[in-house]
């Protein structure tokens, strides 16, 4: 009999919602995907991006575990620090896998936010690491806050090697607030946990007051600040992410040496995109500004359609990012609502449980959709919800 690693789950089919979506699509029925987070299918593009890949130096191969100096210099020019502080990888997801290898032994824990990005169980599991949740809580009118007592208990109780901060978090749209940051730095100083700060949505500020600061360059504990082209330019297909390392000198030097071994083992980033990075970064401000405009317009539209007057629905405060959360009275489970929306309204949304919300009554919607389609979807959502409550 064939034998496989325990790191992988047993054979799984699609969940009910996934199967229904596949079925609806194969029938040719029009479905509005209010969970779409693929920039390409939402009509977002970067003029001239493909052309940047035809760089004269791409024919030469000069392997460097950190990524070619030209690309790292462009990153330090834009985000600060020196070119040596940066390591390139094929994506943020790959950066996580390298960092879990760097920081954890099999069976060790890393702390991840809940509600949060659903890929962590896999990212951690594939490195034989446990993703242990810490709680974020929402009290109207928000914002979401990290439950710092819970975080501390989890850190001490699990002996976690790293704390993952998503800044701002997906799907809660919450940045790490200044007082939370201070408490976290103290906790990490005390326990030795490294910080992995995922900042792929950092520049997409919506309702936060003022632009929150990056963790990049923070010097008192070991910090890995992650970012990449996937969200900064809506180019996940270009496969380029990076991390910026900082921290106390001795720990930093050791982390760099060991990370070089990991990165050198894979050398996974392609030369075309590394050579193109300076030209691509020059396009980032325009892309971010245009997309922020769309995100804000869609958030305003969602509030106008769902949240006006004495509406029983609520669009939760969304400080930044590409996703908003909607709260509705619990007349059914999130799964029943999502299935009903798909079957009866031709609308696909992500139920809250995809992101491990603590209870039913939430769904998540993507704000990157083209504005006309987004408002059409929101109208359908409102009338379906109204029908359930009638
Ligand atoms: C918080 C967060 N980090 C990272 C990623 C993935 O980025 P990449 O394409 O660079 O792996 C996503 C994708 O949605 C995300 O939501």
């Amino acid at each position: 009999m064939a034998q496989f690693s325990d790191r992988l789950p047993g054979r799984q089919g699609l969940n009910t919602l996934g199967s229904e979506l596949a079925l609806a699509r194969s029938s040719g029925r029009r479905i509005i995907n209010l969970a779409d987070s693929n920039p390409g299918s939402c009509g977002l593009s970067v003029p001239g991006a493909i052309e940047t890949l035809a760089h004269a130096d791409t024919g030469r191969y000069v392997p460097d575990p950190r990524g070619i100096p030209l690309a790292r210099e462009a990153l330090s020019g834009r985000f600060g620090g020196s070119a040596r502080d940066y390591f390139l990888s094929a994506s943020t997801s790959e950066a996580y896998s390298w960092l879990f290898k760097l920081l954890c032994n099999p069976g060790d824990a890393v702390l991840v936010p809940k509600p949060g990005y659903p890929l962590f169980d896999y990212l951690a599991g594939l490195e034989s690491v446990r993703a242990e949740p810490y709680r974020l809580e929402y009290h109207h009118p928000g914002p979401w806050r990290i439950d710092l007592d819970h975080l501390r208990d989890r850190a001490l109780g699990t002996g976690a090697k790293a704390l993952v901060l998503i800044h701002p978090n997906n799907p809660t749209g919450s940045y790490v607030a200044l007082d939370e940051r201070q408490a976290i730095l103290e906790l990490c100083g005390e326990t030795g946990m490294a910080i992995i700060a995922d900042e792929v949505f950092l520049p997409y500020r919506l309702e936060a007051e003022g632009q929150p600061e990056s963790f990049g360059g923070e010097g008192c504990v070991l910090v890995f600040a992650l970012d990449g082209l996937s969200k900064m330019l809506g180019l996940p297909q270009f496969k380029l992410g990076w991390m910026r390392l900082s921290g106390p000198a001795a720990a930093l030097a050791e982390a760099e040496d060991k990370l070089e071994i990991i990165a050198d083992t894979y050398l996974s980033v392609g030369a075309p995109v590394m050579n193109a990075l300076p030209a691509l970064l020059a396009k980032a401000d325009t892309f971010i500004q245009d997309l922020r405009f769309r995100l804000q317009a869609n958030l305003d539209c969602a509030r106008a359609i769902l949240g006006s007057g004495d509406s029983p629905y609520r669009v939760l405060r969304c400080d930044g990012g590409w996703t908003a959360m909607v709260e509705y009275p619990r007349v059914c489970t999130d799964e029943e609502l999502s299935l009903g929306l798909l079957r009866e309204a031709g609308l696909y949304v992500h139920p809250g449980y995809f992101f491990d919300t603590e209870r039913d009554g939430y769904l998540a919607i993507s704000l990157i959709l083209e504005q006309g389609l987004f408002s059409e979807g929101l109208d359908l959502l409102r009338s379906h919800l109204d029908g359930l409550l009638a």
Side-chain angles (χ1 to χ4, degrees), residues 134-175:
Y134 62 91
R135 190 186 309 129
L136 268 64
E137 52 190 6
Y138 188 82
H139 296 291
H140 192 64
W144 288 83
R145 299 268 307 163
I146 296 171
D147 179 343
L148 289 169
D149 292 334
H150 185 244
L151 174 63
R152 184 177 178 80
D153 284 353
R154 300 298 283 155
L156 299 178
T158 62
K161 298 294 174 61
L163 168 60
V164 174
L165 300 170
I166 311 212
H167 185 52
N169 187 34
N170 175 11
T172 60
S174 48
Y175 289 91

Side-chain angles (χ1 to χ4, degrees), residues 37 90-94 96 117 119 166 168 170 198 200-201 227-231 236 239-241:
S37 60
S91 64
T92 319
S93 311
E94 185 181 58
Y96 277 116
Y117 176 50
L119 218 59
I166 311 212
N170 175 11
D198 178 334
V200 297
F201 296 115
D227 206 340
L229 294 184
S230 197
K231 307 292 185 267
K239 305 309 297 173
L240 183 66

Side-chain angles (χ1 to χ4, degrees), residues 59-332:
R60 291 191 305 131
Y61 185 47
V62 188
D64 183 329
R66 294 175 190 239
I68 61 170
L70 170 91
R72 290 185 286 110
E73 277 152 22
L75 291 171
S76 68
R78 183 175 170 96
F79 302 109
S82 83
R84 276 191 63 78
D85 302 338
Y86 291 85
F87 277 75
L88 306 188
S89 59
S91 64
T92 319
S93 311
E94 185 181 58
Y96 277 116
S97 79
W98 290 1
L99 292 176
F100 294 164
K101 286 182 183 62
L102 173 73
L103 300 167
C104 300
N105 288 317
D108 282 346
V110 295
L111 300 182
V112 301
K114 169 186 155 99
Y117 176 50
L119 218 59
F120 280 114
D121 283 339
Y122 285 100
L123 286 173
L126 289 173
E127 303 307 324
S128 302
V129 167
R130 287 178 294 128
E132 295 281 353
Y134 62 91
R135 190 186 309 129
L136 268 64
E137 52 190 6
Y138 188 82
H139 296 291
H140 192 64
W144 288 83
R145 299 268 307 163
I146 296 171
D147 179 343
L148 289 169
D149 292 334
H150 185 244
L151 174 63
R152 184 177 178 80
D153 284 353
R154 300 298 283 155
L156 299 178
T158 62
K161 298 294 174 61
L163 168 60
V164 174
L165 300 170
I166 311 212
H167 185 52
N169 187 34
N170 175 11
T172 60
S174 48
Y175 289 91
V176 179
L178 276 180
D179 62 319
E180 293 169 338
R181 180 179 181 130
Q182 198 47 47
I184 283 168
L185 291 174
E186 281 166 22
L187 179 63
C188 290
E190 183 188 329
T191 58
M193 274 191 304
I195 291 179
I196 301 176
D198 178 334
E199 302 189 335
V200 297
F201 296 115
L202 185 74
Y204 297 101
R205 179 175 70 85
L206 297 169
E207 294 178 327
E209 288 151 21
Q211 177 61 51
E213 262 185 50
S214 166
F215 278 82
E218 183 69 66
C220 58
V221 298
L222 203 49
V223 172
F224 304 86
L226 313 187
D227 206 340
L229 294 184
S230 197
K231 307 292 185 267
M232 182 169 290
L233 276 164
L235 291 171
Q237 71 276 34
F238 275 38
K239 305 309 297 173
L240 183 66
W242 54 86
M243 52 185 126
R244 178 177 175 190
L245 275 57
S246 59
L252 184 60
E254 194 169 352
E256 287 183 23
D257 284 354
K258 293 185 190 306
L259 197 53
E260 274 205 358
I261 297 173
I262 298 171
D264 200 32
T265 306
Y266 297 104
L267 290 170
S268 55
V269 194
V273 73
M274 285 197 283
N275 279 310
L277 190 59
L280 287 168
L281 289 177
K283 297 175 182 293
D285 289 338
T286 307
F287 180 82
I288 291 166
Q289 192 186 344
D290 291 352
L291 181 50
R292 269 184 67 198
F293 184 83
R294 181 187 287 196
L295 297 167
Q296 187 64 59
N298 282 339
L299 185 57
D300 294 345
C301 165
R303 288 203 189 292
I305 292 176
L306 288 178
S308 54
D310 53 1
S311 161
Y313 323 114
R314 194 181 265 166
V315 179
L316 304 192
R317 174 161 153 176
C318 179
D319 278 344
W322 289 13
T323 306
M325 288 184 78
V326 174
E327 190 178 2
Y328 65 94
R330 281 179 282 167
V331 283
C332 57

